[in-house]
Amino acid sequence: MKLDPVVKKETCFLVVGECILTALMLAVFLLLRKCDLLVLIGSLVGTLLAIANFFVMCLTIQKAVHSEEKDRAKIVRASHSTRLMLIALVIILCLAVFKLNVFATLIPLLFPTIIQFVRGLTMKNDE
C-alpha cells in the first residue's frame, strides 16, 4: 500500500506540533525545577507513542477507505482496540518498571488532540 500524500502531510504537521508542545512541557518542568532524566525519557516515550498512534491511525483509515464498505468499521475498530491496548501496555511497563515521570509520559499523549483542534481552526476551507 502506497502512503497517501495527505497522511504524510498530516503526520509531519503532527510531528512538528508534538515537538513544540513537548518542548514547552519540558520548559515548564525546568521552571518548576522538576526536570530530570526520568522526565526526559518519559516525555520521549509519550511523544513517540503519540506520533506512532497517529500514524497508525492514519494508515488504518487509508486502508479502510480503500476496502469494501462492509469491512470499514471492523478495520477501524480493530485498529483502535489494538492501538489502545499497546499504548496502555507500554505506558504501564514504562511507569512500573522504569519509574518514569507519570505526567511527562502521559501529557504528550494529549497533544495530538490539541494539535488537530488548532489545525481545524487554522485550515482554509479549500484544503
Side-chain angles (χ1 to χ4, degrees), residues 70-86:
K70 63 181 173 74
D71 296 332
R72 290 178 184 166
K74 274 190 224 175
I75 292 169
V76 173
R77 256 188 248 119
S79 171
H80 181 262
S81 300
T82 304
R83 286 183 289 115
L84 192 60
M85 283 191 318
L86 283 173

